[in-house]
Amino acid sequence: IAATAQDALRDAVNEQQRQSEAADGTDTDAEAPLLLTEAELDELVAPVALYPDALLAQVLVAATYPLQIVEAERFLKESESMSDADLGTELEGKTWDPSVLVLASGFPTVVQRMSDDLEWTDRLGHAMLGQDDDVLAAVQRKRAEAKEMGYLTDNAAQTVATDDTGDISIAPADPKVVYVPTYDPQTVYTTRPTAQPYV
């Protein structure tokens, strides 16, 4: 039986959380922060809801480690002159959560964005710790809005699929290359594009 898109995203997040707990020996469900409303969650996930599922799962879990995100961003700045091989060796010695290591090794712009907007990262992390199912539901709502507006389509970078339940999954067109989409969260969910978008 094929899993729904939401199930697949949930599985990716669960797997990342399991790796995180195994790496640091802690339970990421330990905190019980205040719950956010649907509208607050929608606004919170809007900047990343259109990321490919595999990348989004890393971001959602890494957000529960905001201090490590800051450390990773500083490390990447200090390591700009390193070769990829040397950078990889240095990262192997870091004890950060696996999700943070993945982002630091392949998605420095994502790490920088999360570090630059630490308040947003912290709020996202607390939401993941307290109401992760609601966060994933918010992602689906925003994806549906973007698709309705005409922004979430197959292109050279990604493939978009909708399952029988209406849940939307996003995967790289080339499994070896994961693009980080850039879009304006203020317009992509509310305003139809005047030309064919490239998200």
Side-chain angles (χ1 to χ4, degrees):
I1 298 173
T4 66
Q6 187 73 347
D7 289 339
L9 184 54
R10 154 61 52 209
D11 290 346
V13 169
N14 284 345
E15 177 57 29
Q16 194 54 52
Q17 287 173 331
R18 277 193 293 274
Q19 290 180 21
S20 298
E21 290 167 12
D24 65 13
T26 61
D27 182 356
T28 54
D29 293 329
E31 296 183 38
L34 294 175
L35 299 183
L36 299 178
T37 66
E38 276 192 8
E40 289 171 327
L41 288 167
D42 286 358
E43 182 180 347
L44 190 62
V45 304
V48 294
L50 304 187
Y51 282 17
D53 290 4
L55 175 57
L56 178 60
Q58 303 291 346
V59 169
L60 294 177
V61 175
T64 65
Y65 298 92
L67 181 59
Q68 291 183 18
I69 288 290
V70 172
E71 291 172 354
E73 195 268 339
R74 289 178 182 163
F75 167 77
L76 290 172
K77 270 188 179 172
E78 294 166 1
S79 309
E80 286 178 351
S81 61
M82 278 189 188
S83 69
D84 288 346
D86 288 342
L87 183 64
T89 301
E90 286 292 320
L91 283 171
E92 285 176 11
K94 298 295 181 185
T95 57
W96 298 327
D97 181 76
S99 62
V100 177
L101 285 169
V102 167
L103 295 179
S105 64
F107 304 95
T109 58
V110 175
V111 173
Q112 182 176 352
R113 185 220 183 280
M114 294 176 76
S115 179
D116 288 348
D117 195 350
L118 199 57
E119 182 181 347
W120 171 83
T121 300
D122 191 50
R123 288 184 70 224
L124 181 61
H126 277 86
M128 280 300 295
L129 290 171
Q131 53 188 134
D132 54 353
D133 285 336
D134 295 336
V135 171
L136 297 182
V139 166
Q140 288 300 328
R141 286 193 297 273
K142 300 314 285 183
R143 286 180 173 183
E145 289 173 12
K147 188 171 184 183
E148 176 68 22
M149 288 295 110
Y151 283 94
L152 190 55
T153 59
D154 289 349
N155 58 40
Q158 68 187 17
T159 58
V160 178
T162 305
D163 65 23
D164 294 340
T165 67
D167 288 333
I168 299 168
S169 62
I170 306 171
D174 177 351
K176 296 177 183 174
V177 181
V178 179
Y179 288 96
V180 180
T182 56
Y183 57 91
D184 179 2
Q186 300 301 318
T187 60
V188 73
Y189 302 111
T190 59
T191 309
R192 291 192 180 280
T194 55
Q196 178 62 29
Y198 183 80
V199 178

